C-alpha cells in the first residue's frame, strides 16, 4: 500500500515537473480547454436558472373559466357542482370577483384608479387543475367547459410557459451536445499533447524500460499530466462562468431595482462545480491513457 | 546461473546473428564475450534481457526461460541485471544523483534508503562530489562511470556491459575495468561484450569468442 502510494506520488510529482518545465504552454492549453468548456457550462447555467424561474411562474398548466359578469350565485353554484362531478378535474378554486379586485388592487398599485371605478369590472372565475396535464386532454376539457351555460370565456393559460419550457429543454439539449462534443475534443487534444510528449521522451522511455520500468511506471506521469491539464481547464471554465454570472448579476441587479422583481443568476452549485472540475480531469486522464498505451506499444523493447 | 542452449537468432530480413550457440555461466564468474564487429556480441546481450527473443533454442537466467517470458514479467526480470551501455544512455534532463536513483525509483525503493544507496554507488565510482551536477558537464569517462553507478545501485546479481570502454582512452578504460573487477570480486556475475585487448589482458577473464554468429571458443564453463 505504501509502495503503491509512493509510486503514485512519484508519478504525480513527475507530471508536475513536466508542467513546471513548460509553464506557458501548459497555461495556454488550460486556457483553451477552459474557454471551450465555459461555453456549454455557461449555457447550462443560464438554462437551469431560466427553468427554475419558469417553474416558479407556473407549476402546471391551469384552465381559467370566467363567468359572465351578470351571473348570479345560483348559476355559479351550478357550475361548481358540474366541476365537482367531472372526473377529468383534479382540483378547482373559485376566485370571487370581490377577491379578484382586492388582489388586483394589492399587486398593481393602481388603488386610486380602481377605487374610482363605478363598479367591479372583473367576473367570478374558476381556476381549474386538470387530472391529466397533457395538452390534448387540457384542450378537450377547455372545449367542454366553454359550452357550459353562463361561462363567458375559458382560457388555457401556461401555453407560453410550455413553449418556454420546450425552448429551454431544447437549449439544454444544445448545451449537452456542445458539452459532449467539447468533451471529445478535450480527449483528442490530450491525446495529441501526450503523443508529442511520448515522442520527445522516446529515448528516456527506452532507457527506463531497459532498466526494468513497468508500463504502469512509465504511464503514470503522462496520465497525471492529462488529468491535471483537464482539471486546470475545468478550473479556468469555472472561473470564466463564475465571473460571467457575477457580472451578469451586477447588471441584472439594476434591472431588478427598476422592475422590483427577482431577476438573479444563481452561481454554479458546489455539486456542479465539482463535476466541472472532475469531468475534464477524467477525460484528460482517459485521453492520456489512450495516447500513452498506444504509443508505448510502438516503442516496444 | 545463465545458460544458452542451441540458441539461434535470425532478424527479420534474414540476417543470421547467432547460430546454434550453447554455453553456460556460473554465478560469480567474470566473462568477456569477444569477436569482430557483427559477430553477434550485442545480440547475445540483448537476448539475455529480452530486448530480442531467440528464433530457436532457449536462454535461461536464474531458472527462467527469458525467451518465453510474458510482456508483463520482462521488467521484473530486467531488475536482476545492471546494464552498462557504450553510449551510456544517461538522462540529460536530470542531475547525476537522479540518474543513479532511477533504478531504485523504478523498483519502488523508499526515499531515505534510496538516497543512501545512491551516494554509496556514486562514492564507489568516484563521482560523489558531482551529485548535483548535470551529466552533460561530465567527461566521457565520468559519464561511463556514472552509467556504472546506475547499473549497480540496486545491487543486481548480474552486470551486463556492451562495449563499456568503446569510446574511452586507455586510462579511462582501465578505470572501468577495475570497477568491473571490484564488483565481480564482491560476487556480481559480470558479462562484458568487448574487443578491447588491453582490458582483456588486464582482467584475464574467461572468454567466450564468437565468429559470424557461431561460438568459436569458450563454451565450456
Amino acid at each position: 500500500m505504501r509502495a503503491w502510494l509512493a509510486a503514485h506520488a512519484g508519478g504525480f510529482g513527475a507530471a508536475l515537473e513536466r508542467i513546471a518545465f513548460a509553464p506557458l504552454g501548459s497555461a495556454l492549453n488550460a486556457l483553451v480547454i477552459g474557454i471551450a468548456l465555459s461555453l456549454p457550462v455557461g449555457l447550462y447555467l443560464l438554462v437551469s436558472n431560466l427553468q427554475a424561474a419558469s417553474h416558479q411562474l407556473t407549476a402546471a398548466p391551469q384552465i381559467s373559466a370566467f363567468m359572465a359578469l351578470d351571473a348570479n350565485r345560483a348559476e355559479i353554484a351550478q357550475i361548481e357542482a358540474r366541476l365537482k362531478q367531472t372526473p377529468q378535474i383534479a382540483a378547482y378554486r373559485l376566485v370571487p370577483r370581490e377577491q379578484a379586485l382586492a388582489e388586483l388592487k394589492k399587486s398593481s398599485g393602481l388603488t386610486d384608479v380602481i377605487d374610482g371605478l363605478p363598479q367591479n369590472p372583473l367576473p367570478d372565475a374558476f381556476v381549474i387543475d386538470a387530472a391529466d396535464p397533457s395538452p390534448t386532454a387540457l384542450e378537450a376539457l377547455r372545449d367542454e367547459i366553454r359550452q357550459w351555460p353562463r361561462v363567458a370565456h375559458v382560457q388555457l393559460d401556461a401555453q407560453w410557459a410550455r413553449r418556454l419550457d420546450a425552448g429551454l429543454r431544447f437549449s439544454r439539449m444544445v448545451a449537452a451536445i456542445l458539452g459532449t462534443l467539447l468533451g471529445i475534443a478535450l480527449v483528442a487534444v490530450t491525446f495529441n499533447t501526450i503523443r508529442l510528449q511520448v515522442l520527445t521522451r522516446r529515448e528516456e522511455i527506452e532507457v527506463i524500460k531497459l532498466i526494468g520500468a513497468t508500463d504502469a511506471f512509465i504511464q503514470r506521469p503522462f496520465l497525471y499530466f492529462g488529468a491535471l491539464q483537464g482539471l486546470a481547464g475545468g478550473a479556468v471554465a469555472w472561473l470564466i462562468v463564475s465571473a460571467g454570472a457575477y457580472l451578469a448579476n451586477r447588471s441584472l441587479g439594476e434591472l431588478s431595482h427598476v422592475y422590483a422583481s427577482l431577476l438573479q443568476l444563481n452561481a454554479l452549485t458546489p455539486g456542479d462545480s465539482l463535476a466541472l472540475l472532475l469531468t475534464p480531469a477524467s477525460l484528460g486522464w482517459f485521453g492520456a491513457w489512450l495516447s500513452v498505451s498506444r504509443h508505448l506499444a510502438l516503442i516496444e523493447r | 546461473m545463465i545458460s544458452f542452449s542451441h540458441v539461434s537468432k535470425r532478424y527479420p530480413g534474414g540476417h543470421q546473428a547467432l547460430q546454434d550457440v550453447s554455453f553456460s555461466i556460473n554465478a560469480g564468474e567474470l566473462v568477456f564475450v569477444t569477436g569482430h564487429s557483427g559477430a553477434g556480441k550485442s545480440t547475445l546481450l540483448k537476448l539475455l534481457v529480452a530486448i530480442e527473443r531467440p528464433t530457436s533454442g532457449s536462454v535461461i537466467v536464474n531458472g527462467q526461460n527469458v525467451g518465453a517470458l510474458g510482456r508483463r514479467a520482462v521488467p521484473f526480470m530486467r531488475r536482476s541485471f545492471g546494464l552498462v551501455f557504450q553510449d551510456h544512455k544517461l538522462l540529460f534532463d536530470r542531475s547525476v544523483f537522479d540518474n543513479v536513483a532511477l533504478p531504485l525509483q523504478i523498483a519502488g525503493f523508499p526515499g531515505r534508503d534510496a538516497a543512501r544507496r545512491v551516494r554509496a554507488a556514486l562514492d564507489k565510482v568516484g563521482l560523489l562530489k558531482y551529485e548535483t551536477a548535470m551529466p552533460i558537464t561530465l567527461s566521457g569517462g565520468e559519464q561511463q562511470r556514472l552509467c556504472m553507478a546506475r547499473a549497480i545501485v540496486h545491487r543486481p546479481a548480474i552486470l551486463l556491459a556492451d562495449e563499456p570502454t568503446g569510446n574511452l582512452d586507455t586510462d579511462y578504460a582501465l578505470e572501468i575495468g577495475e570497477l568491473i573487477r571490484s564488483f565481480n570480486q564482491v560476487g556480481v556475475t559480470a558479462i562484458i561484450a568487448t574487443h578491447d585487448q588491453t582490458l582483456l589482458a588486464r582482467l584475464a577473464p574467461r572468454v567466450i569468442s564468437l565468429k559470424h554468429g557461431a561460438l568459436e571458443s569458450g563454451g565450456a564453463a
Side-chain angles (χ1 to χ4, degrees):
Chain A
M1 183 66 190
R2 267 183 67 189
W4 183 86
L5 275 180
H8 276 268
F12 187 72
L16 282 181
E17 266 171 39
R18 287 175 195 186
I19 291 171
F21 186 71
L24 186 65
S26 309
L28 287 177
N29 266 341
L31 197 64
V32 167
I33 294 170
I35 290 173
L37 287 178
S38 68
L39 295 175
V41 173
L43 188 56
Y44 164 81
L45 185 67
L46 201 64
V47 169
S48 309
N49 273 288
L50 283 174
Q51 209 154 33
S54 81
H55 278 301
Q56 261 175 12
L57 292 177
T58 50
Q62 287 176 324
I63 296 174
S64 306
F66 299 96
M67 301 302 294
L69 268 178
D70 54 350
N72 60 32
R73 296 258 172 242
E75 285 162 341
I76 291 168
Q78 220 175 356
I79 295 294
E80 191 167 358
R82 271 183 102 151
L83 284 172
K84 209 176 271 178
Q85 282 160 16
T86 313
Q88 292 96 315
I89 291 170
Y92 68 88
R93 181 164 58 90
L94 172 65
V95 183
R97 47 194 307 193
E98 300 77 25
Q99 190 192 331
L101 189 69
E103 272 177 21
L104 181 65
K105 244 192 240 181
K106 217 184 331 168
S107 66
S108 68
L110 300 172
T111 320
D112 294 343
V113 179
I114 292 168
D115 283 344
L117 290 170
Q119 63 178 64
N120 185 353
L122 300 173
D124 293 298
F126 289 96
V127 178
I128 299 158
D129 287 316
D132 178 3
S134 74
T136 45
L138 284 168
E139 276 160 24
L141 195 58
R142 178 192 63 189
D143 294 343
E144 191 192 333
I145 295 172
R146 188 174 276 165
Q147 284 158 22
W148 293 355
R150 307 301 290 163
V151 173
H153 180 68
V154 182
Q155 189 180 322
L156 181 55
D157 55 6
Q159 226 158 19
W160 64 272
R162 264 192 298 137
R163 279 190 205 120
L164 175 67
D165 205 51
L168 288 177
R169 242 176 298 151
F170 174 71
S171 313
R172 188 177 271 251
M173 196 178 68
V174 169
I177 291 172
L178 209 58
T180 310
L181 289 177
L182 288 169
I184 293 170
L186 171 59
V187 171
V189 165
T190 315
F191 183 91
N192 223 12
T193 312
I194 297 297
R195 186 180 70 91
L196 286 176
Q197 279 193 12
V198 171
L199 293 183
T200 54
R201 289 175 176 269
R202 193 193 171 102
E203 247 176 273
E204 173 187 340
I205 291 170
E206 281 176 4
V207 171
I208 63 176
K209 257 190 157 173
L210 283 175
I211 298 177
T214 56
D215 283 356
F217 180 91
I218 299 168
Q219 285 176 354
R220 252 177 242 129
F222 293 105
L223 298 183
Y224 274 113
F225 185 94
L228 283 172
Q229 187 174 270
L231 186 73
V236 170
W238 188 88
L239 282 176
I240 292 175
V241 170
S242 299
Y246 173 75
L247 290 177
N249 274 335
R250 279 224 323 218
S251 40
L252 280 177
E254 286 162 26
L255 266 181
S256 299
H257 282 304
V258 178
Y259 286 101
S261 67
L262 264 174
L263 281 173
Q264 215 208 341
L265 211 53
N266 289 318
L268 291 164
T269 63
D272 285 343
S273 305
L274 199 65
L276 177 53
L277 293 177
L278 291 186
T279 311
S282 10
L283 288 175
W285 179 282
F286 177 65
W289 175 79
L290 278 183
S291 185
V292 78
S293 39
R294 185 184 146 77
H295 293 106
L296 272 194
L298 296 179
I299 311 179
E300 189 45 68
R301 276 204 152 218
Chain B
M1 174 164 239
I2 291 169
S3 86
F4 273 54
S5 65
H6 306 291
V7 173
S8 295
K9 174 66 185 175
R10 179 193 286 272
Y11 284 105
H15 173 60
Q16 187 80 31
L18 286 179
Q19 179 87 57
D20 193 29
V21 171
S22 298
F23 63 86
S24 62
I25 295 172
N26 295 320
E29 272 195 274
L30 172 61
V31 178
F32 274 35
V33 180
T34 63
H36 58 97
S37 20
K41 304 189 292 287
S42 294
T43 300
L44 194 148
L45 296 194
K46 283 177 181 165
L47 289 174
L48 272 172
V49 290
I51 295 172
E52 298 291 350
R53 309 274 175 146
T55 315
S56 65
S58 62
V59 177
I60 311 285
V61 177
N62 285 329
Q64 273 184 312
N65 186 348
V66 174
L69 271 189
R71 229 179 88 75
R72 289 175 173 280
V74 167
F76 300 98
M77 178 275 290
R78 283 184 184 161
R79 291 178 196 175
S80 54
F81 288 92
L83 298 181
V84 177
F85 310 93
Q86 180 174 6
D87 56 355
H88 322 318
K89 295 201 191 295
L90 298 170
L91 301 180
F92 289 101
D93 63 342
R94 58 196 79 189
S95 69
V96 164
F97 182 96
D98 289 344
N99 264 281
V100 179
L102 201 55
L104 299 177
Q105 269 175 26
I106 287 170
F109 231 78
R112 224 173 315 135
D113 286 355
R116 205 177 315 123
R117 279 203 184 188
V118 170
R119 297 218 167 82
L122 281 173
D123 194 30
K124 180 89 185 154
V125 300
L127 291 176
L128 190 53
K129 58 179 182 287
Y130 296 120
E131 75 177 279
T132 56
M134 296 306 270
I136 197 75
T137 62
L138 302 182
S139 71
E142 286 166 341
Q143 288 188 7
Q144 191 57 287
R145 267 151 47 202
L146 179 55
C147 185
M148 296 280 292
R150 187 182 64 187
I152 52 98
V153 70
H154 58 300
R155 297 183 190 151
I158 308 163
L159 183 70
L160 280 193
D162 190 7
E163 303 279 7
T165 60
N167 293 329
L168 301 179
D169 317 348
T170 315
D171 285 352
Y172 283 138
L174 290 178
E175 269 177 22
I176 298 292
E178 283 312 311
L179 278 174
I180 291 170
R181 196 217 294 274
S182 70
F183 295 135
N184 179 241
Q185 276 167 353
V186 296
V188 177
T189 309
I191 303 170
I192 319 296
T194 186
H195 48 231
D196 187 330
Q197 293 303 320
T198 342
L199 207 57
L200 247 168
R202 177 68 73 96
L203 294 184
R206 170 184 165 196
V207 175
I208 291 174
S209 167
L210 294 171
K211 191 172 187 183
H212 299 301
L215 196 64
E216 193 180 43
S217 66

